[in-house]
Amino acid sequence: MKNTITTINPYNGAELNKFQRFSVDKIDSILNNAQSTYNEWKTTTIKSRTKLLVKLGDVLNNNLEEYSRLMTEEMGKPIKESRAEIEKCILLCDFYSKNSESFLADEIIVTEAQESFISYDPLGVILGVMPWNYPFWQVFRFAVPTLTAGNTALLKHASNVTGCALAIQNCFEQAGYPIGCFQTLLTDHDNIEELIKNKIIKAVSVTGSEKAGISISTTASKVLKKSVLELGGNNACIILDDADLEKHMDTIVKARFQNSGQSCIAAKRFIVTKGIYNKFIKQFKEKVEALNYTDPIKEDAEISVLAREDLAKDLQEQVDASVKKGAKVLVGNKRDNAYFSPTILIEVTSDMKVFTEETFGPVAPIIKADSMDHAIELASNSRFGLGTMLFTKNTEAAKLKIGEIADGSFFINDMVKSDPRLPFGGTKASGYGRELSQEGIHEFVNKKTVYINK
């Protein structure tokens, strides 16, 4: 294991910074600090915790440009999307500042007792293992409800966004959270197993790959600790014959190419019924070809590099394997280091990698369906279960199909997206548990039954 972490700008290959990995002794000190802080933090009132959320939102707003630039430099996100990510974190803080008190209030249950209710008590120190693709948002949607419920949190972030990880810890400290309430661990991924086994850690939340989720949840289950898994997706985007392409095409394109396609909830498979297929191909192609690729720090950047060159190589392998099986390249399929050009594949079948696997980048496979029922059948043909989007003018008919796809979300005439007000999560290989909304703040609490008689 190397003693240092080096962050690299994926657009130009420039070295950004070097960070020293923490020693075993420092990690032990951080763990102990998290526990001792928890012993005090859990006794604070929910009202005092929500006041800190307001201050946290102010810190984000005051440092919006600095944090946005840091994200763009470390993982290549177009600068406008980086700003939007920080703004979404601010909305999250606002939502939980206004609603956490009611979410965590004792729930009265009428029984034969003089008094009976459910108390929502914190669990302790929670470990978050987070990815690089949304360096602030993924962490905040884990940390904000977790801390507000009375827990303390430790973050093991992806190494290529180490600067973001440290900036986030600074955010919480600037806002006035007690030192030790939220701490970043600069350690190797191989050390996560030992962290989970540590008696101080009470539960773990993972956002990342299926492989990482299986490994971490297996370790957690062996020591009887709870895990929440937000893993990959292979979301279907269904376009029916009566879809209003003029109205929704920009949304459909954004659903695939936002964040240069590096999103678990992106549209990964475009399933288009035959009556609108040719019209869709024409309009979709025009929009994709018009996406502006440039330095992501520039205001007019719409598409950028992937976060690392190995990710672009993996994507190339998936495309090449599918082309060998008969897929046709309509647009793109060009790679230059970490850049992979926006790509459209047609004549895609269900046995190809771009259909069966998650493609984490700007590749759009298009599959022709005979009918709405055939489209639903194709959409359901996936190991993943994160979300489905369907475009049609007949929303009542679409609503009848909601129960036929076993995903965590179903969006009609919009792209799948996370919203602080709504629970977010998946099924099957996309994981389990829910983040955001009331469901999210209840993931890391002890739902304690209280029964009182005279």
Side-chain angles (χ1 to χ4, degrees), residues 89-106:
C89 292
I90 296 169
L91 288 174
L92 178 80
C93 294
D94 180 67
F95 172 77
Y96 277 109
S97 72
K98 293 175 179 175
N99 293 284
S100 293
E101 202 164 357
S102 62
F103 289 164
L104 296 169
D106 294 342

Side-chain angles (χ1 to χ4, degrees), residues 185-415:
L185 295 169
L186 300 191
T187 186
D188 193 79
H189 201 79
D190 293 340
N191 293 330
I192 292 175
E193 183 173 347
E194 290 305 312
L195 281 170
I196 294 170
K197 290 179 180 178
N198 190 293
K199 64 181 181 180
I200 289 176
I201 300 294
K202 296 299 186 288
V204 59
S205 178
V206 184
T207 299
S209 68
E210 179 186 357
K211 180 181 177 182
I214 291 172
S215 174
I216 291 170
S217 63
T218 298
T219 300
S221 67
K222 287 179 180 178
V223 287
L224 297 178
K225 294 181 181 180
K226 182 174 183 176
S227 59
V228 169
L229 305 183
E230 301 290 357
L231 309 180
N234 196 7
N235 290 3
C237 179
I238 300 170
I239 296 96
L240 299 182
D241 284 354
D242 67 341
D244 188 339
L245 296 183
E246 284 69 27
K247 182 178 181 180
H248 298 301
M249 185 56 76
D250 285 343
T251 298
I252 292 169
V253 172
K254 184 179 179 181
R256 171 66 276 196
F257 296 100
Q258 181 177 253
N259 204 29
S260 299
Q262 300 169 113
S263 172
C264 58
I265 56 174
K268 306 280 173 58
R269 297 172 297 150
F270 291 84
I271 300 170
V272 186
T273 49
K274 58 186 180 182
I276 202 172
Y277 182 83
N278 290 334
K279 182 180 179 183
F280 173 81
I281 292 285
K282 181 177 182 294
Q283 292 190 21
F284 188 65
K285 178 175 179 287
E286 289 173 355
K287 291 283 187 180
V288 172
E289 287 180 320
L291 291 171
N292 186 43
Y293 169 66
T294 185
D295 187 335
I297 208 69
K298 293 183 177 180
E299 294 295 330
D300 60 346
E302 295 178 304
I303 199 80
S304 183
V305 293
L306 301 192
R308 301 190 310 266
E309 185 175 356
D310 63 295
L311 300 168
K313 290 179 178 178
D314 290 344
L315 194 61
Q316 183 74 72
E317 190 277 327
Q318 290 173 305
V319 171
D320 288 348
S322 300
V323 169
K324 284 182 180 178
K325 282 204 166 190
K328 298 291 189 296
V329 178
L330 185 65
V331 171
N333 193 26
K334 296 176 182 177
R335 187 180 74 82
D336 181 13
N337 297 319
Y339 174 67
F340 198 93
S341 61
T343 298
I344 300 174
L345 299 178
I346 58 174
E347 298 184 29
V348 172
T349 55
S350 59
D351 62 339
M352 296 175 181
K353 283 194 172 187
V354 293
F355 185 97
T356 60
E357 297 179 358
E358 178 177 31
T359 50
F360 218 67
V363 172
I366 301 176
I367 305 96
K368 185 186 292 188
D370 295 329
S371 63
M372 181 182 188
D373 287 341
H374 185 212
I376 295 292
E377 179 185 341
L378 287 166
S380 301
N381 182 13
S382 177
R383 295 172 47 256
F384 298 92
L386 198 50
T388 297
M389 55 205 89
L390 187 151
F391 291 84
T392 179
K393 290 177 182 175
N394 191 344
T395 56
E396 291 304 312
K399 285 164 65 177
L400 297 175
K401 301 296 182 181
I402 293 171
E404 294 188 23
I405 299 180
D407 284 7
S409 62
F410 193 102
F411 280 57
I412 299 173
N413 292 328
D414 210 336
M415 59 186 282

Side-chain angles (χ1 to χ4, degrees), residues 50 52-64 67-68 71 77 80-98 130 133-145 148 157 164 167-168 171-172 175 177 182 418-421 436:
T50 57
L52 287 175
L53 286 177
V54 177
K55 295 180 180 178
L56 185 63
D58 289 341
V59 171
L60 287 167
N61 188 55
N62 293 338
N63 295 278
L64 190 148
Y67 296 153
S68 299
M71 263 193 285
K77 187 189 302 287
K80 286 184 178 179
E81 294 185 13
S82 293
R83 291 194 192 102
E85 182 168 336
I86 298 298
E87 289 165 355
K88 193 169 184 178
C89 292
I90 296 169
L91 288 174
L92 178 80
C93 294
D94 180 67
F95 172 77
Y96 277 109
S97 72
K98 293 175 179 175
M130 297 292 132
N133 57 328
Y134 289 91
F136 272 71
W137 170 246
Q138 308 275 24
V139 175
F140 270 78
R141 78 180 191 193
F142 151 70
V144 164
T148 307
H157 216 329
C164 290
I168 293 169
C171 275
F172 283 94
Y177 282 79
F182 180 97
S418 55
D419 183 317
R421 299 165 294 185
L436 304 176

